């Protein structure tokens, strides 16, 4: 199956080019952003020009933090009702866009804090526009929203076809202002998604051309981009790879590769992509016996060996400054084992396999 209900306008001036689709989505927009990325990237100014052109009023909710909480979603939903907005524009990295998805569903379905992540309560949505400013999550093309339940200090989230954006306006210029560390971490997140498109037991050869191309774009351009962050051609390569990664996981979901990183983000503040990156080699080794032919095909396409890929990865010098202990590992094991992503692994994963990966960080 290949299913993608989002209209994606991709490339230079995507916001202006997609502008004529906006009036059909609603009469007043709630623009959902992080603290500064929407303004710094230029995306907020550009969309406001288009809203003004169509005489569409708007309110701004600029309060989404990294790894947004359920409480932030409720505040955004309250702001949406207060301002009488009937469609949402999420601008930012994964955090603001995922919050925008959840606000759309919370308002449309009158959800309370315990219902925000339960698709069983979703009947409708407010129309949603996504404008990414990072090249990482691919959330502009996924049905997922990843949130944080601060009450239990854990990642929470949902997947629902209603969470696919109606319109995604994707322009690499908006990623030019992304700081180097965010560029690296989000690039590795995109790489994770692409690899998980191959690992997943829902893997689908229809996706492989985009997945293989996306991985090559990252390998060829990410290290150089870190030295030349203003190079638009490299930024475009990373953004396209990230979009391919989003399209991949929209079909295959993520796997243990993601579940194992979530506790590192919730407890130690490790950025999402970095949490994936530090376990990437171990995960590939764990999965390799189950997806050997697919990975061998990938490495033939890349014209590199698995060992050379590991060398490329270690040259990125992904570093973390926390150390785990056995108590933490045992306390988080049930969360990892019960996560939804575990259903997508290509082979049976034992608790000991997860312990072994975490023990690298003791
Ligand atoms: P993010 O949390 O949205 O942003 C990270 C930082 O980068 C923030 O400080 C942000 O600033 C800044 N930033 C973003 N774009 C910028 C720009 N163009 N210029 C300057 N600063 C910029 O990072 P992310 O990695 O894109 O998103 C991570 C979240 O997405 C996590 O919660 C993760 O679990 C989730 N995720 C979702 C999916 C999905 O399919 N829905 C998939 C993977 C991951 P501001 O605070 O000002 O915005
Ligand atoms: Zn991710």
């Amino acid at each position: 199956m290949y299913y993608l209900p989002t209209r994606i306008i991709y490339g230079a001036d995507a916001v202006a080019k997609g502008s004529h689709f906006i009036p059909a989505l609603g009469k007043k927009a709630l623009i959902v952003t992080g603290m500064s990325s929407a303004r710094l990237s230029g995306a907020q100014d550009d969309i406001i020009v288009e809203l003004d052109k169509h005489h569409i009023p708007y309110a701004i909710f600029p309060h989404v933090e990294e790894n947004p909480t359920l409480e932030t979603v409720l505040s955004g939903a309250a702001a949406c009702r207060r301002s009488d907005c009937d469609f949402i524009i999420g601008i930012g990295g994964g955090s603001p866009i995922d919050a925008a998805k959840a606000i759309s569903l919370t308002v449309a379905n009158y959800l309370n804090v315990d219902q925000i992540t339960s698709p069983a309560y979703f009947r409708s949505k407010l129309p949603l526009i996504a404008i990414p400013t990072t090249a990482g999550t691919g959330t502009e093309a996924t049905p997922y929203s990843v949130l944080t339940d601060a009450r239990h200090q854990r990642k929470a989230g949902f997947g629902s076809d209603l969470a696919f954006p109606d319109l995604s306006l994707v322009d690499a210029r908006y990623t030019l202002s992304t700081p180097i560390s965010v560029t690296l971490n989000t690039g590795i997140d995109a790489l994770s998604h692409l690899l998980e498109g191959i690992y997943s037991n829902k893997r689908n050869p229809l996706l492989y051309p985009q997945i293989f191309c996306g991985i090559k774009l990252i390998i060829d351009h990410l290290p150089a981009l870190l030295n030349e962050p203003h190079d638009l051609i490299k930024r475009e390569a990373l953004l396209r790879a990230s979009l391919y990664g989003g399209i991949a996981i929209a079909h295959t979901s993520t796997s243990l590769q993601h579940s194992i990183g979530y506790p590192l983000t919730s407890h130690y503040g490790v950025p999402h992509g970095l949490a994936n990156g530090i376990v990437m080699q171990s995960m590939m080794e764990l999965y390799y016996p189950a997806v050997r032919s697919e990975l061998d095909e990938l490495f033939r396409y890349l014209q590199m060996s698995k060992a050379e890929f590991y060398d490329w990865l270690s040259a990125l010098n992904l570093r973390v400054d926390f150390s785990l202990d056995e108590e933490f590992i045992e306390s988080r094991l049930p969360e990892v084992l019960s996560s939804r992503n575990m259903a997508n692994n290509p082979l049976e994963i034992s608790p000991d396999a997860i312990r072994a990966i975490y023990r690298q960080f003791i």
Side-chain angles (χ1 to χ4, degrees), residues 33-38 40-41 64 66-68 92-96 98 101 133-134 137-139 142 144-146 155 174-179 182 186 189 193 249 258 262 272:
T33 75
M35 311 305 158
S36 60
S37 58
L40 282 177
S41 63
V64 181
E66 289 182 43
N67 305 301
S95 296
D98 283 7
K101 291 177 174 182
T133 66
T134 60
T137 69
T139 185
T142 78
Y144 311 119
S145 169
V146 186
K155 283 274 197 178
Y174 302 141
T175 64
L176 283 169
S177 54
T178 314
V182 177
T186 50
D189 189 27
H193 300 158
I249 58 167
H258 262 63
Y262 284 155
H272 172 71

Side-chain angles (χ1 to χ4, degrees), residues 267-286:
H267 289 263
Y268 295 99
V270 180
H272 172 71
L274 181 59
N276 290 329
I278 57 177
V279 298
M280 189 171 276
Q281 179 168 339
S282 317
M283 290 306 312
M284 189 177 276
E285 283 301 297
L286 184 64

